[in-house]
Amino acid sequence: MVMLMDFLFENSWKAICPYNPKLDLKDIYIYDTTLRDGEQTPGVCFTKEQKLEIARKLDELGLKQIEAGFPIVSEREADIVKTIANEGLNADILALCRALKKDIDKAIECDVDGIITFIATSPLHLKYKFNNKSLDEILEMGVSAVEYAKEHGLFVAFSAEDATRTPIEDLIKVHKAAEEAGADRVHIADTTGCATPQSMEFICRTLKENLKKSHIGVHCHNDFGFAVINSIYGLIGGAKAVSTTVNGIGERAGNASLEELIMALTVLYDVDLELNLEVLPELCRMVEKYSGIKMPKNKPIVGELVFAHESGIHVDAVIENPLTYEPFLPEKIGVKRNILLGKHSGCRAVAYKLKLMGIDYDKEMLCEIVKKVKEIREEGKFITDEIFRNIVEEVLKNKKNSAQGE
């Protein structure tokens, strides 16, 4: 049995849909913005200690870049970013800056490895955010910011805000100018989550054809539930970097979920991101606690019900081979499956639970326990281990009394 489980663990990806393409994605990486864009979730404000803990855990996961914050926001924020930058983490630490010299100077004071600077480029933003300024006027600000940051030895990512609602010819113009100014990476920001996977692939593919040195990053919001798949299609189109947040937190509907993106690429597309996957559950629970945003029980990848089974048909199959009803083994992310008992449980599930608890039983006793489990669950009570043990003790007591009566 151990050898079988080892084989399944190592080859669990082979049980996925055979039509899924194996993507030839080389040198791709994730830069996480939980500490910046995630904290912009209404009502969320991390303490210094919380940000440090999250940063350490992101680093333990193995991410290459962590966006630690927006230093110009406050002296407290600047102090936190500087503390993270001097924590000795393996990840490079980035800070967000407007396309302003004072923002970049503040980031430099924080000892960060790089910055993400941005300008809005869509006609909508140019009209209403910048009072009808021309794209050329705004672009001049962006180019100056990139050049200034590069003069100070920083890694520079240049982001076109609302890129997915910007004409493609303008995007090409803006990003080529940023590249010529020295930008290491240029971003496609799907600011309102309105892109489709096909449009994201098209934008990234077209942009890649027009760039010579800078690589592309995608920053996707989840307003239509497309953030993760849009990020993947961005990679298919030629992007090399993806912005994420833990648990997908962020403004409005949030951002691309770190844990969902990682596992989709790892399991469904067979991409080796060289990450410590077992860190994911603890990281997600940490952000859930510190953000105050509770994860749904059926949250993909890390929800408490993701590897839980109750239906008798499912449980029977999972006991024989977990991959019958699981896309990958829970051990891959350092968790265990849970066989729940309830209305839909059968003899196999109850027998499995009895075995785990070291309780001997015969067929008559097993059938009686199954019956009691169903009755109690249908009364509205959850079958916890304590309640299950009480059921077993009651059945044993009844059996003993019956035997003595005979």
Side-chain angles (χ1 to χ4, degrees):
M1 184 63 180
V2 174
M3 291 180 64
L4 172 61
M5 293 304 293
D6 288 344
F7 174 80
L8 289 173
F9 178 77
E10 294 298 329
N11 297 276
S12 61
W13 64 270
K14 294 181 180 179
I16 64 173
C17 176
Y19 307 109
N20 290 351
K22 181 176 180 179
L23 299 183
D24 186 22
L25 301 177
K26 298 178 181 178
D27 303 321
I28 67 170
Y29 62 96
I30 294 170
Y31 65 99
D32 188 81
T33 183
T34 302
L35 302 179
R36 198 275 302 172
D37 211 341
E39 194 183 33
Q40 288 179 204
T41 306
V44 174
C45 183
F46 297 124
T47 67
K48 181 178 182 178
E49 291 71 24
Q50 289 170 346
K51 275 201 171 190
L52 262 173
E53 279 194 59
I54 294 169
R56 292 183 190 121
K57 194 57 66 174
L58 288 167
D59 191 56
E60 186 182 345
L61 176 62
L63 297 189
K64 292 186 178 181
Q65 292 182 339
I66 299 170
E67 189 178 354
F70 198 170
I72 201 67
V73 165
S74 68
E75 287 303 318
R76 170 188 171 277
E77 177 78 349
D79 174 62
I80 293 172
V81 172
K82 184 168 185 174
T83 301
I84 293 172
N86 288 287
E87 183 66 11
L89 303 179
N90 292 316
D92 287 338
I93 305 303
L94 308 182
L96 185 72
C97 301
R98 294 169 298 178
L100 298 173
K101 182 176 178 291
K102 65 178 182 179
D103 282 34
I104 298 170
D105 285 338
K106 179 61 73 173
I108 291 169
E109 291 175 15
C110 294
D111 302 325
V112 295
D113 300 294
I115 66 163
I116 297 174
T117 189
F118 64 97
I119 59 169
T121 57
S122 70
L124 190 66
H125 278 237
L126 292 176
K127 181 177 181 179
Y128 293 103
K129 185 176 177 179
F130 292 117
N131 299 315
N132 286 311
K133 284 189 177 181
S134 69
L135 182 65
D136 287 338
E137 289 178 279
I138 299 301
L139 180 55
E140 185 177 343
M141 292 174 56
V143 167
S144 295
V146 172
E147 289 176 340
Y148 184 72
K150 289 306 296 181
E151 287 171 5
H152 288 79
L154 296 173
F155 169 92
V156 177
F158 172 82
S159 185
E161 188 182 14
D162 207 24
T164 54
R165 295 192 293 186
T166 300
I168 191 67
E169 59 272 16
D170 289 346
L171 274 183
I172 294 170
K173 177 180 179 179
V174 165
H175 285 124
K176 286 183 74 172
E179 179 184 57
E180 290 169 6
D184 300 282
R185 186 173 73 215
V186 296
H187 290 173
I188 302 297
D190 187 21
T191 302
T192 58
C194 63
T196 62
Q198 294 78 12
S199 63
M200 185 61 74
E201 180 184 7
F202 167 76
I203 292 169
C204 290
R205 193 177 302 282
T206 303
L207 191 56
K208 185 183 179 184
E209 291 170 355
N210 285 273
L211 295 176
K212 297 177 181 178
K213 295 180 293 182
S214 301
H215 65 278
I216 301 166
V218 290
H219 176 86
C220 299
H221 282 263
N222 203 39
D223 296 75
F224 290 90
F226 281 7
V228 170
I229 192 60
N230 279 349
S231 299
I232 292 173
Y233 266 72
L235 293 172
I236 293 172
K240 290 288 186 183
V242 179
S243 169
T244 63
T245 59
V246 179
N247 300 339
I249 65 172
E251 297 179 26
R252 303 183 314 280
N255 294 38
S257 163
L258 171 71
E259 61 282 0
E260 293 174 26
L261 178 76
I262 286 175
M263 295 312 296
L265 288 173
T266 301
V267 178
L268 302 181
Y269 292 97
D270 194 28
V271 177
D272 184 6
L273 295 168
E274 299 181 347
L275 297 175
N276 181 11
L277 301 179
E278 294 187 5
V279 170
L280 284 174
E282 184 180 356
L283 172 62
C284 293
R285 286 193 296 271
M286 180 185 292
V287 171
E288 176 186 42
K289 178 181 177 181
Y290 293 158
S291 68
I293 300 174
K294 191 165 180 61
M295 291 187 290
K297 290 186 177 183
N298 62 345
K299 170 74 170 68
I301 311 302
V302 292
E304 64 179 83
L305 295 181
V306 172
F307 293 101
H309 307 275
E310 178 186 325
S311 170
I313 296 172
H314 286 204
V315 170
D316 288 356
V318 164
I319 290 172
E320 288 296 323
N321 184 329
L323 295 179
T324 51
Y325 285 101
E326 294 173 354
F328 64 90
L329 300 182
E331 291 84 357
K332 205 169 185 69
I333 58 170
V335 298
K336 297 178 180 179
R337 77 180 45 80
N338 189 12
I339 303 299
L340 301 178
L341 299 179
K343 174 181 176 180
H344 303 98
S345 298
C347 290
R348 193 79 181 273
V350 172
Y352 178 82
K353 202 76 172 180
L354 289 168
K355 184 178 179 181
L356 287 179
M357 300 176 110
I359 299 171
D360 294 327
Y361 61 90
D362 56 31
K363 185 175 181 180
E364 181 183 353
M365 177 181 166
L366 178 62
C367 292
E368 185 61 26
I369 293 172
V370 171
K371 180 183 175 183
K372 291 285 186 183
V373 164
K374 292 177 182 288
E375 289 174 353
I376 290 176
R377 184 64 189 96
E378 288 181 323
E379 290 173 1
K381 296 179 181 178
F382 287 98
I383 310 299
T384 62
D385 284 350
E386 182 181 358
I387 288 177
F388 181 69
R389 194 174 288 279
N390 290 338
I391 292 171
V392 173
E393 289 175 355
E394 181 185 348
V395 171
L396 284 171
K397 181 180 178 181
N398 291 339
K399 183 180 179 181
K400 183 179 179 180
N401 289 340
S402 178
Q404 289 175 346
E406 292 176 357

